[in-house]
Amino acid sequence: MLNHLTGSETRNPDLNDPTCHSHSFSHSQITWILLPNKNPACRRAVVTLVTVANATRMKALILVGGYGTRLRPLTLSVPKPLVEFCNKPILLHQVEALVKAGVDHVILAVSYMSDLLEREMRVQEERLGIRISLSHEKEPLGTAGPLALARELLNVDNEPFFVLNSDVICDFPFKDLLQFHRNHGKEGTIVVTRVEEPSKYGVVVFEADSGRIHRFVEKPQVFVSNKINAGIYIFNPSMLSRIQLRPTSIEKEIFPVMAEQGQLYTMELQGFWMDIGQPKDFLTGMCMYLQSLRQQAPERLHTGPGFLGNVLVDPTAQIGENCTIGPNVTIGAGVVVEDGVRIKRCTVLKGARVRSHSWLESCIVGWSSSVGQWVRMENVTVLGEDVIVNDELYLNGANVLPHKSINESVPEPRIIM
């Protein structure tokens, strides 16, 4: 059960030595024992345990408080962190990578649909054996304010903590980031990634050899750097003193000051990266992720007659005869694809059905939606939950809100309310 104060249940250890009379206090999933002086051997043993635990304990804060407006209509049904990306909720890609790096306490800065998040996190807390806390924003606090709100959870020791945006997908380099951060010894490290058109972004200017950041330049018209903030950070707790509990931008108000004082460094990300917070980027990120799977875990991809390139299929999905699936397709749990269907560069979410001889490219089909026979959908068409598209229709860039029935073609991109 999720404890509203600690985020987890605690267990009292069995002390066999009767001289170890004690009292206890809870931290994470262990109850530590404070021993009296009468038994030095027992006291030394427990102090050793506490020291070892402190050496390995790490924390992370994930900024999930936004309303997910860019990913509508999907986020009208579930909070964005729980939308399945390549058959796993976006948030779990991040949490599982953090756990692999040694994090055992994850703090979620939340506001929107927090009850749904809390229910899911109870399950994941038990499954992963970690502590998950929810830090509730009563008002939007920007990208720095949530750190101040969670100060008491983050500032329990001198160990650094990770911070990341909930929209980011990549090969998360948490172990390398921790080592790099410890080596330079300053207050903060941000991960950067290379982009082809830096004039569209705010870029980071830093020393190539050391990684020390000099300044940030917003949408440069002449080339100064092609590295941008990737939304993944690690900080020492001392940086929390820089942030007040009010709406604050970490990128505009905190980072420039840290850089000017020589306290902010950068590590360049290797491999793919994408902000998947809107449908077209969600699909691009899916393509990148599937290619990464091809390189690192090809056995997870589906192969066989009719499957082209990188395709991820849940074992409970049913695929009909004479279909052509791929490249770059994700098919979720309980999906039914009938005979003669063509799907490429699409995500089909849990419980959806695509009826015979339909043609889908660059689409997201929402949970429990139904696509009729001989339908053509393309150009980042997104169906919300429980949408019905009737037979023989054409949808071009349609954005369909949940529980709608589509009875006529949508030849030009628009929102169907």
Side-chain angles (χ1 to χ4, degrees):
M1 179 177 175
L2 186 70
N3 184 296
H4 288 288
L5 294 177
T6 66
S8 64
E9 289 186 331
T10 56
R11 295 174 286 105
N12 288 318
D14 179 23
L15 295 179
N16 294 320
D17 190 334
T19 66
C20 292
H21 303 295
S22 64
H23 63 280
S24 66
F25 70 96
S26 295
H27 182 83
S28 187
Q29 293 178 314
I30 301 172
T31 298
W32 297 117
I33 306 301
L34 298 181
L35 298 171
N37 292 334
K38 63 194 295 183
N39 190 328
C42 284
R43 186 173 66 255
R44 281 196 301 272
V46 172
V47 168
T48 300
L49 285 172
V50 173
T51 302
V52 170
N54 283 340
T56 58
R57 187 172 67 243
M58 288 202 67
K59 304 169 292 296
L61 175 73
I62 303 178
L63 302 170
V64 298
Y67 289 98
T69 54
R70 296 185 302 156
L71 201 55
R72 287 178 178 170
L74 301 177
T75 49
L76 294 172
S77 298
V78 301
K80 180 173 57 181
L82 297 184
V83 173
E84 293 98 329
F85 174 82
C86 294
N87 289 349
K88 182 189 298 182
I90 296 170
L91 184 62
L92 284 191
H93 286 275
Q94 301 172 331
V95 170
E96 290 178 0
L98 286 164
V99 171
K100 286 182 181 178
V103 170
D104 66 359
H105 184 192
V106 175
I107 302 150
L108 306 180
V110 302
S111 58
Y112 173 63
M113 291 186 177
S114 58
D115 290 344
L116 282 174
L117 266 173
E118 184 168 356
R119 285 199 296 271
E120 177 61 25
M121 289 307 103
R122 285 175 179 172
V123 175
Q124 298 306 324
E125 186 179 48
E126 181 72 20
R127 181 178 72 89
L128 296 170
I130 63 171
R131 174 186 176 191
I132 299 176
S133 302
L134 274 64
S135 176
H136 293 263
E137 297 180 28
K138 301 301 183 185
E139 61 173 340
L141 292 173
T143 50
L147 278 72
L149 186 63
R151 192 190 317 270
E152 291 186 5
L153 294 173
L154 295 170
N155 200 21
V156 296
D157 52 35
N158 288 322
E159 290 299 310
F161 57 88
F162 296 107
V163 176
L164 58 157
N165 296 336
S166 64
D167 295 345
V168 170
I169 193 73
C170 64
D171 288 326
F172 296 103
F174 294 124
K175 289 183 179 179
D176 292 342
L177 179 58
L178 174 61
Q179 187 59 53
F180 179 82
H181 179 75
R182 291 193 189 280
N183 288 344
H184 69 66
K186 302 299 182 181
E187 270 192 345
T189 307
I190 73 174
V191 175
V192 296
T193 186
R194 183 175 61 85
V195 294
E196 297 299 329
E197 298 183 63
S199 62
K200 294 182 178 180
Y201 304 90
V203 299
V204 184
V205 181
F206 59 93
E207 294 176 2
D209 293 339
S210 67
R212 177 178 171 178
I213 295 175
H214 288 296
R215 67 187 190 279
F216 299 86
V217 181
E218 187 65 26
K219 297 182 179 178
Q221 298 308 302
V222 296
F223 183 87
V224 292
S225 170
N226 61 354
K227 308 300 193 304
I228 66 168
N229 179 354
I232 302 170
Y233 321 122
I234 187 170
F235 301 121
N236 293 342
S238 59
M239 74 83 62
L240 293 170
S241 64
R242 300 177 179 272
I243 307 173
Q244 298 180 10
L245 185 54
R246 59 176 177 81
T248 310
S249 167
I250 200 168
E251 298 87 354
K252 296 179 179 178
E253 300 178 61
I254 308 300
F255 285 169
V257 177
M258 292 178 67
E260 185 178 340
Q261 297 174 356
Q263 289 293 326
L264 193 59
Y265 280 64
T266 186
M267 186 186 85
E268 185 172 353
L269 180 68
Q270 305 301 315
F272 79 98
W273 174 91
M274 182 54 64
D275 177 332
I276 57 174
Q278 55 187 336
K280 68 181 182 64
D281 295 332
F282 186 97
L283 291 172
T284 300
M286 176 196 69
C287 298
M288 293 177 170
Y289 180 85
L290 293 177
Q291 182 57 30
S292 178
L293 274 189
R294 170 69 62 190
Q295 296 166 356
Q296 299 182 25
E299 68 280 0
R300 292 179 55 191
L301 297 175
H302 197 91
T303 57
F307 289 88
L308 307 177
N310 301 327
V311 178
L312 188 64
V313 180
D314 187 275
T316 62
Q318 302 176 44
I319 311 295
E321 296 182 356
N322 301 315
C323 293
T324 305
I325 312 293
N328 298 313
V329 171
T330 300
I331 295 178
V335 167
V336 176
V337 177
E338 296 184 1
D339 297 347
V341 168
R342 176 71 173 103
I343 305 177
K344 55 182 176 178
R345 202 175 184 272
C346 291
T347 286
V348 185
L349 294 173
K350 180 179 180 180
R353 177 180 288 266
V354 182
R355 299 193 180 275
S356 58
H357 306 295
S358 286
W359 189 99
L360 282 65
E361 181 175 7
S362 294
C363 299
I364 302 174
V365 179
W367 308 274
S368 303
S369 288
S370 176
V371 177
Q373 298 180 13
W374 296 99
V375 167
R376 182 181 179 108
M377 300 189 344
E378 61 185 348
N379 192 24
V380 196
T381 286
V382 184
L383 307 183
E385 180 186 15
D386 184 36
V387 167
I388 297 173
V389 179
N390 286 301
D391 296 348
E392 301 180 17
L393 297 181
Y394 171 55
L395 275 61
N396 173 27
N399 198 304
V400 186
L401 272 62
H403 314 299
K404 299 296 178 183
S405 180
I406 306 301
N407 300 309
E408 59 183 14
S409 293
V410 183
E412 298 295 334
R414 65 186 179 99
I415 299 172
I416 310 297
M417 301 180 66

